[in-house]
Structure formats: structure tokens, C-alpha cells
Amino acid sequence: MTLKVYLSGEIHTDWREQIVEGSTDLDVSFSSPVTDHGASDDCGVAILGEEPSKYWHDHKGAMVNAIRTRHGIENADVVVVRFGEQYKQWNAAFDAGYASALGKPLIVLSRPEHQHPLKEVHAAALAVAEEPAQVVQVLRYVLTGALPG
């Protein structure tokens, strides 16, 4: 049985690749939002037509991206949401709340300095990790019962 994991949140670092590479020996399949920032921003107007204002340009893209995101979260067995160091990911907070509302097991990946601002998000999570390797260890334990080391 393959564990389906949706990797949501920050797109400016290689945290997804670290988790995927660390999980090669596990029966896990991964999905995620589009991580090409330009494609993600422009998908709405590229598919549905140009918009005269930046607000509607962004709105159209957000709606098209939401189809992919909601589908990925709804079909996942576990949702991992990463909050980055430099950027505020409001979409990650939405994804965490959506996954939680659907009863999906949630793993939050964030830095210790974000404990206070993310306290409500952390409270909804079943695990709060600080490093991608810890997410891999959680997945390994869930699938095999094996502890690290």
C-alpha cells in the first residue's frame, strides 16, 4: 500500500527534494503544487486570458492553482506543509487549515523561531518538524515502525 503525501508550502528551497530523496526506500508517492513561481503566478492568464489589473491576474492564477492544491490535499493520506525562513506563505497556512478541516494527518515543517506565530497551525498538526530529515523519519516510522538510528 503506497502512502500518498502532498508537499505544500514554501517553493524557494529544496526541502521537497530532500524528503523525496530520503524516502526512496519507502512505499511513498509524492505530489505538490506547481513549484515554478512564474508558471504558478501566470497560469490563470496563460490559460484563461489576460487581465488588465494585477489583482485579477493574481486572482485568476490563485483560483486555477487552488484546483490542483485542493485535489492534491483531498487525495493525500498525509499532508506536509513547509513554512520557509524568508517568506510568509499565507497559502501554506490555508493548506494546513484545509487539510486539518478534512481530517488529513498534518506534518508542519518550520523553524523554531516561528513557534509563536504558527502556534495555531502547530496545534492542528500531528507532528511539527524542523528539518526535512525529520519528516522522512516520521514517514519511515508510520510505514515501518522503525525508529531512527
Side-chain angles (χ1 to χ4, degrees):
M1 178 177 78
T2 301
L3 186 69
K4 296 178 285 186
V5 179
Y6 187 77
L7 302 172
S8 176
E10 183 259 318
I11 65 169
H12 302 282
T13 63
D14 70 344
W15 69 273
R16 284 181 182 84
E17 290 80 10
Q18 291 178 48
I19 292 172
V20 170
E21 289 171 12
S23 303
T24 56
D25 61 329
L26 298 175
D27 191 8
V28 181
S29 68
F30 294 98
S31 60
S32 68
V34 171
T35 58
D36 176 322
H37 203 174
S40 177
D41 285 350
D42 296 338
C43 66
V45 296
I47 298 166
L48 302 171
E50 292 297 322
E51 288 293 338
S53 85
K54 182 69 172 144
Y55 174 83
W56 291 111
H57 176 116
D58 289 347
H59 185 73
K60 221 179 230 188
M63 291 187 302
V64 170
N65 281 312
I67 296 168
R68 180 183 176 101
T69 300
R70 291 178 188 180
H71 179 267
I73 291 172
E74 290 166 6
N75 288 293
D77 298 312
V78 175
V79 176
V80 179
V81 179
R82 159 87 169 149
F83 290 85
E85 298 177 32
Q86 293 179 276
Y87 303 91
K88 305 266 193 274
Q89 290 85 40
W90 309 117
N91 58 326
F94 173 83
D95 293 353
Y98 187 62
S100 181
L102 293 175
K104 300 291 178 172
L106 177 64
I107 301 171
V108 171
L109 180 56
S110 62
R111 304 300 305 152
E113 59 268 21
H114 295 142
Q115 287 177 358
H116 180 73
L118 292 175
K119 62 186 175 290
E120 289 83 5
V121 175
H122 287 175
L126 295 181
V128 177
E130 295 178 7
E131 300 294 333
Q134 292 174 314
V135 174
V136 173
Q137 291 170 353
V138 169
L139 296 175
R140 183 173 314 286
Y141 179 78
V142 167
L143 287 168
T144 70
L147 293 173

